[in-house]
Amino acid sequence: MTATTGSGTTLEPTAVMPNPGLDGHLLRIIAGGTKRSTTHPPAPAAQRRVRRYRRFLDALGVAVYTTDSDGRITFFNAAAADFWGRRPAVGEEWCGSLRLLNLDETPMRHDECPMAITLKEARPVRGGQAIAVRPDGSNVSFMAYPTPLFDDRGELIGAVNVLVDITERHRAEQAIRAAADALEASNAVKDEFLGLVSHELRTPVTTIFGNARLLQTHGTELDDDVRASMIADIATDADRLHSIIENLLHLTRLGSGSRLDLEPQVLARAVEQAVASFRARNPDRVVEVATERPRSIVEGDETYLTLLLENLLSNAVKYSPPGSPVEVEITTAGQEVIVEVLDRGIGLDDVDCERLFEPFFRAEPARTAANGLGIGLALCQRIVTALGGRIWARPRDGGGAAVGFALPVGADVSEPTETNGPARPARAGRTVRPD
């Protein structure tokens, strides 16, 4: 009979060969004899009994082993050898495991195991749990049921232990605990998100509702300038509200694996159109586009490219002084087109730039400077990833921030790429000469 361990190792038939001393002890353990085992072989009838006991114990599908009163192993069945992944030498103490761990994976000494406690205190231990480390590095969680054995005079002569494999149950319990921890963290994030959303939505809704109600009830009594200002406030906050909702919808859509409608796009032209639209809605802000504009073609989605650029521009304006210009640079490097939006705002000193792209994360300087949900850059990161590119943020020399992205020129965007990583070559694509 062979046994296969959980790690796939096949053990040869079990091992404890007939031994006069061991056989005598096994008889004494099972039959409760009064004489101590000796090195003299048992009588033929006793030998037959030993063989029957061995066959019976080896036939069990559960690990069983015995020790003498000093804790030295005297017998183990095939299931125990399979369980341990090894055959301990006769005379090893307490347990046949290579090493033992507590359930929290801290080391456990063998003389602290359930079998050791049973022999030291001469009492059964029920349901003691530990982890056995096998020679191949695999672990098996188990529950032990050691029981002390006494002779007819009440003298402790050894113990028998049954080991029950609870590895799958232990893994399930760990998974349940991990799921509970994740659920608790998720609930905390949800609560924070709801708080942020309620605050960010309440402000524009309050402005829109209040101004609309005043215009409805007292519109004819208001001066033209006051009425125009109120209408402008309604338009501004309605645009803000629309932007928040659109970003949330697109963030969710891209997070669920929605595919983009890709087609060839001249990236510089998309930048120019987004900047023109942004200037029209923000006439008091200066947005400068570099004169060098390579007309490289990328595979992109027009709607999401516009959304990407709108978010980068809005982010730069939000955290910059009113009179400070925002600059947009378009360059090429290797087989990539690079767009960077640069500002002279609060900057990114002492900020973990990679975390800026996590949903709902806002660095402390940003929290102080302006309201926000922390979804704009997270959405930008998901758009760039879906387009096969990479995105980054860095402190700008002289103050301010530079947030940019790179897209492959004519690359196959169906291949996954690493975000926030180093530049990597892409297949050569088409470049359109400037008009």
Side-chain angles (χ1 to χ4, degrees), residues 83-94:
F83 178 91
W84 293 322
R86 64 187 291 266
R87 294 187 182 87
V90 173
E92 282 190 21
E93 290 186 320
W94 313 121

Side-chain angles (χ1 to χ4, degrees), residues 54-368:
R54 286 187 180 279
R55 286 196 298 269
F56 170 74
L57 293 173
D58 278 337
L60 295 177
V62 64
V64 178
Y65 72 99
T66 63
T67 71
D68 62 18
S69 58
D70 295 322
R72 291 186 293 267
I73 294 175
T74 56
F75 170 81
F76 55 88
N77 67 355
D82 179 23
F83 178 91
W84 293 322
R86 64 187 291 266
R87 294 187 182 87
V90 173
E92 282 190 21
E93 290 186 320
W94 313 121
C95 176
S97 301
L98 182 66
R99 287 191 298 116
L100 289 174
L101 304 174
N102 294 298
L103 289 185
D104 62 1
E105 299 191 358
T106 57
M108 174 188 286
R109 297 203 316 268
H110 276 79
D111 61 359
E112 296 175 334
C113 72
M115 182 62 130
I117 294 172
T118 286
L119 289 168
K120 289 176 182 178
E121 301 181 8
R123 65 177 180 85
V125 174
R126 290 293 173 261
Q129 299 182 38
I131 299 174
V133 180
R134 291 167 167 154
D136 64 1
S138 63
N139 292 350
V140 55
S141 303
F142 66 92
M143 190 174 288
Y145 293 87
T147 301
L149 299 173
F150 304 91
D151 63 15
D152 294 340
R153 295 173 301 183
E155 180 183 352
L156 179 70
I157 58 175
V160 59
N161 198 1
V162 177
L163 306 177
V164 179
D165 187 339
I166 60 168
T167 303
E168 292 305 318
R169 192 185 84 179
H170 186 213
R171 288 174 182 165
E173 290 172 349
Q174 288 179 314
I176 291 172
R177 283 194 293 270
D181 291 342
L183 180 60
E184 184 177 354
S186 176
N187 285 335
V189 171
K190 180 197 69 176
D191 293 342
E192 182 179 3
F193 167 71
L194 290 175
L196 285 169
V197 168
S198 63
H199 174 74
E200 289 299 313
L201 295 183
R202 185 182 294 116
T203 301
V205 167
T206 300
T207 301
I208 293 169
F209 177 79
N211 284 335
R213 179 57 63 88
L214 284 173
L215 288 170
Q216 182 184 39
T217 57
H218 303 287
T220 57
E221 305 169 14
L222 300 174
D223 295 338
D224 290 343
D225 290 344
V226 174
R227 190 163 49 248
S229 176
M230 294 173 68
I231 293 172
D233 289 344
I234 290 175
T236 298
D237 278 7
D239 183 62
R240 178 183 171 192
L241 191 60
H242 178 266
S243 177
I244 291 172
I245 294 171
E246 283 293 297
N247 279 348
L248 284 171
L249 289 174
H250 287 298
L251 187 70
T252 303
R253 199 168 293 155
L254 288 174
S256 64
S258 178
R259 297 181 66 85
L260 305 187
D261 184 15
L262 301 178
E263 59 182 8
Q265 303 280 342
V266 180
L267 186 56
R269 188 173 297 158
V271 171
E272 293 163 0
Q273 291 172 348
V275 169
S277 174
F278 188 83
R279 284 172 177 159
R281 288 178 289 105
N282 300 271
D284 56 331
R285 297 308 301 247
V286 177
V287 181
E288 301 172 350
V289 184
T291 54
E292 293 293 329
R293 304 174 191 177
R295 315 298 284 187
S296 300
I297 287 181
V298 299
E299 292 292 322
D301 181 300
E302 182 178 2
T303 299
Y304 279 97
L305 279 176
T306 301
L307 189 60
L308 166 63
L309 294 160
E310 285 277 349
N311 272 288
L312 293 182
L313 291 170
S314 297
N315 202 65
V317 165
K318 180 189 293 187
Y319 299 111
S320 300
S324 175
V326 173
E327 303 169 43
V328 182
E329 293 183 352
I330 311 169
T331 57
T332 58
Q335 294 300 315
E336 288 183 321
V337 191
I338 299 171
V339 177
E340 273 201 313
V341 177
L342 306 102
D343 64 60
R344 291 296 183 189
I346 61 175
L348 297 174
D349 294 333
D350 300 323
V351 172
D352 185 349
C353 292
E354 290 190 3
R355 292 206 65 196
L356 294 176
F357 300 98
E358 295 179 8
F360 313 117
F361 173 81
R362 301 188 74 216
E364 191 56 39
R367 292 175 184 268
T368 305

